[in-house]
Amino acid sequence: MSKRLSILSAALLLSLSPLAYAQQYVITSDTFVDSGSPGTNNPGTGQPNGGSAAFANGQDIYSYGADGKVKAVTSNYSSSYQFVSATHVLFSLPQTFWTALNTDLASYPSLLTNPNFKVTVNYYSFNDSLSVANGHGDMELHPLTQSFTTGNGTQSPLAPADSAHPGATWNTYDGELTDTWTTPGGDFDTSHFATISNTSLPVSKGAVPFSWNIASLVTNSSTRSELQNNGALIKVINEGVFPPSIPTPPGVNDFVSFYSADYMTAPGTATSNPAFLPTAVISLPGDATADGVVNADDYTAIDRGYANHLTGFSNGDFNSDGVINSADYMIIDSFYGQIHGGLSPDFLAERDSEFGDAYVQSLLSSIPEPSLLAVCGLAFPLFTRRRTA
């Protein structure tokens, strides 16, 4: 396979108004809620988990809306550590993200069923005690079915009804005593979620994010509405059984603390480095350069990756199988053809010579009937042959 394709006219491609949105959106609204100790006190301190003020008459009174960290925790119950608790991360995706996503889903409905369309939520670990070895660490992201208020300060106290909404707690969605969750800890969609397996957790804390692919949630109209209107919840998967169903040594917890949306300004974590802010990322099929468009630059990337036997999405391994081949070219060719209304006869002839007639027929079947613009030839990209070493 010695021949590859290059696109001659970048100006023509730009004139066709390809998808163009910022790929990465910083999450600006998040918090966490803490169950405290609904059972017994910590035998070491005699106080409920979370401190002596954590509960008032059985009611959690802490809101963490401006904390520099957000936490997902389930604490182990053991003979030496006789209490259980859990925390959940709550967050909302920014409106800029939803504007871009909803516009593009409406403009390009093929994204709704494209398995190579990815939308990821990324949180960086501040610290954790997740243990892959003993089977712990699976984490789920669920759409919320009730919206929440993030609050305006660390550990704000609960307030009477019709007050200033100090922020969500384990028992309330906005900090008002009368505004209770149906289920303490947050009301969420139990049937739809994205999961991180403990076998794929980041090896180096803080070096790479915990990433949930939520494409299946945002391409489903029902869960997309839940996410957009209410937000999402992150939880450790095995918190539902105390003691946990997977045995752990005494005192071992499933615990991860993430850098929050407020970590650049919150006391104790204030920094000028935005590298660890949580984000949402939209990844188009074939967008190797991650610039929000599929164009000549992406074909250059996959050609180079193929010629040099590289791997990785940025080099054209769009299906992440460790090799760049016809399957990866199918991903970029198909989506490029869909967003531009067709592919030129010369391009199809080149693909036939490289990958065969079956490839071309499969490619054509993945692209809707061309528009009148495409039939007139105005929407076809121009290609030429070149040889690679």
Side-chain angles (χ1 to χ4, degrees), residues 328-348:
D328 301 295
Y329 277 94
M330 177 64 73
I331 290 171
I332 188 172
D333 289 348
S334 175
F335 190 64
Y336 188 90
Q338 291 170 28
I339 64 176
H340 290 297
L343 297 166
S344 73
D346 286 346
F347 177 85
L348 296 174

Side-chain angles (χ1 to χ4, degrees), residues 62-86:
Y62 275 9
S63 166
Y64 299 89
D67 200 284
K69 300 178 291 296
V70 287
K71 304 174 184 179
V73 178
T74 180
S75 296
N76 183 44
Y77 182 99
S78 72
S79 59
S80 61
Y81 204 50
Q82 297 181 16
F83 75 88
V84 294
S85 67

